[in-house]
Amino acid sequence: MKPIYQRIADDLREQIADGTLPPGSKLPTEADLREKYGTSARSTVRQGLSLLVNEGLIVPQRPKGYFVREIRPLVYRPQSEFRRKPPEVDIYTHLLAAEGDERRPAQDIEVSIVEPSLAVRQRLQLEDADLVAVRRRTRRLDGEAYNLNDSYVALSLVEGSEWMTPADVARGTNQVLGELGKELVRALDEIYVRMPTPEEVRRLQLGPGTPVAEHVVTTFASDDSPVQVTINVVPGDRHVIVYERVKDPQDFEERPRSNWGAE
């Protein structure tokens, strides 16, 4: 027979999954759970609840109790980097609007000059002494951190340009790269699923046990030279990753999309 704390977690998890306990609803009190499962030990009940907290299913709101977590996943479309956007609208705002997401977007942007990691150096085909510029973005919806978007380019390419501005560049930093003679025409995508680093936990304010998807994008110019490496980190509890594929790219036309997963 399963331990009592495991039975508590399993039963509550099932009720959350089948909608008996909908998002935002309050869980039974610890006293009610002790009575239902025939235990006098508060630690037993709390152990079961802790499992669900670590799974990202419930959140404690002391002194009110525990509540089912309300999740509004953001639709993340890796293929949208080259999608056209209206003038003077940054790409993050534009992509949210394209998905019909009415939450308020914002970005915290930091720009610095660093020595690249081995992974970035190899992807950009840099020499050992070469430095890179990095734009670190923490992207938010209604004030909550939703994902990280850190872009690296050779410092020699962007030094003194608008790419180095630590603020939104309305026409897009990809456009700035094009004006510098490195129009981005091709992208190589790599996706890894892993646990977050302590720095990512801090920047995204992640709860215990929350996995992330790391989307590494290496973009190339028309001469096939690598120009930029962008590392996107998207928490698994806040996103649905959507790829759209067509048999013949020439047959593809922009068309309205359903908003499933965006609510």
Side-chain angles (χ1 to χ4, degrees):
M1 180 179 293
K2 291 182 179 180
I4 293 176
Y5 78 88
Q6 186 70 65
R7 288 164 46 204
I8 293 173
D10 288 349
D11 289 348
L12 292 174
R13 189 187 299 107
E14 183 176 349
Q15 292 175 53
I16 293 171
D18 67 17
T20 302
L21 288 171
S25 62
K26 184 179 180 181
L27 269 63
T29 65
E30 292 182 8
D32 290 339
L33 291 172
R34 289 200 306 270
E35 180 178 354
K36 178 177 179 179
Y37 290 92
T39 178
S40 59
R42 297 177 63 185
S43 61
T44 298
V45 171
R46 290 184 176 180
Q47 189 176 3
L49 293 171
S50 293
L51 288 178
L52 300 182
V53 170
N54 291 337
E55 293 173 15
L57 294 177
I58 65 173
V59 291
Q61 296 183 15
R62 296 182 177 86
K64 296 180 180 180
Y66 292 83
F67 293 79
V68 179
R69 185 176 179 188
E70 296 187 76
I71 300 175
R72 296 181 61 193
L74 172 66
V75 174
Y76 177 70
R77 295 181 184 269
Q79 72 272 28
S80 297
E81 181 173 2
F82 300 124
R83 187 187 301 173
R84 289 184 179 180
K85 54 188 181 299
E88 305 305 317
V89 178
D90 71 271
I91 193 169
Y92 182 47
T93 299
H94 173 68
L95 295 180
L96 285 172
E99 296 295 347
D101 196 316
E102 297 180 354
R103 286 173 287 183
R104 177 174 53 85
Q107 300 186 84
D108 301 331
I109 302 176
E110 298 178 1
V111 178
S112 57
I113 298 171
V114 300
E115 292 185 2
S117 67
L118 178 61
V120 170
R121 186 184 302 280
Q122 290 177 338
R123 286 177 172 85
L124 289 178
Q125 299 177 11
L126 300 175
E127 301 295 331
D128 290 345
D130 291 339
L131 297 177
V132 297
V134 55
R135 290 179 65 86
R136 291 190 173 95
R137 307 171 184 90
T138 300
R139 291 175 161 173
R140 303 179 183 277
L141 289 178
D142 288 344
E144 180 182 2
Y146 252 70
N147 59 60
L148 306 179
N149 178 277
D150 297 348
S151 295
Y152 300 81
V153 296
L155 177 61
S156 59
L157 173 61
V158 297
E159 190 169 19
S161 75
E162 196 174 358
W163 197 97
M164 300 290 291
T165 305
D168 287 338
V169 177
R171 68 187 186 283
T173 52
N174 287 355
Q175 179 64 34
V176 174
L177 293 174
E179 294 164 3
L180 294 171
K182 291 292 185 179
E183 180 183 1
L184 305 181
V185 300
R186 180 172 69 87
L188 175 65
D189 296 291
E190 305 167 63
I191 295 179
Y192 306 89
V193 179
R194 57 174 174 78
M195 298 305 295
T197 66
E199 176 67 8
E200 290 163 352
V201 170
R202 181 190 66 80
R203 290 177 66 186
L204 290 166
Q205 300 178 336
L206 298 177
T210 304
V212 297
E214 179 185 46
H215 174 214
V216 182
V217 187
T218 306
T219 40
F220 299 81
S222 57
D223 61 1
D224 217 31
S225 61
V227 178
Q228 180 172 253
V229 172
T230 299
I231 300 176
N232 302 281
V233 177
V234 294
D237 62 349
R238 304 173 201 177
H239 294 81
V240 53
I241 299 176
V242 177
Y243 269 98
E244 186 169 8
R245 298 182 293 170
V246 294
K247 184 177 180 180
D248 185 346
Q250 294 181 351
D251 294 336
F252 179 76
E253 296 181 357
E254 287 287 340
R255 54 188 178 276
R257 293 179 171 88
S258 65
N259 288 330
W260 70 273
E263 297 297 324

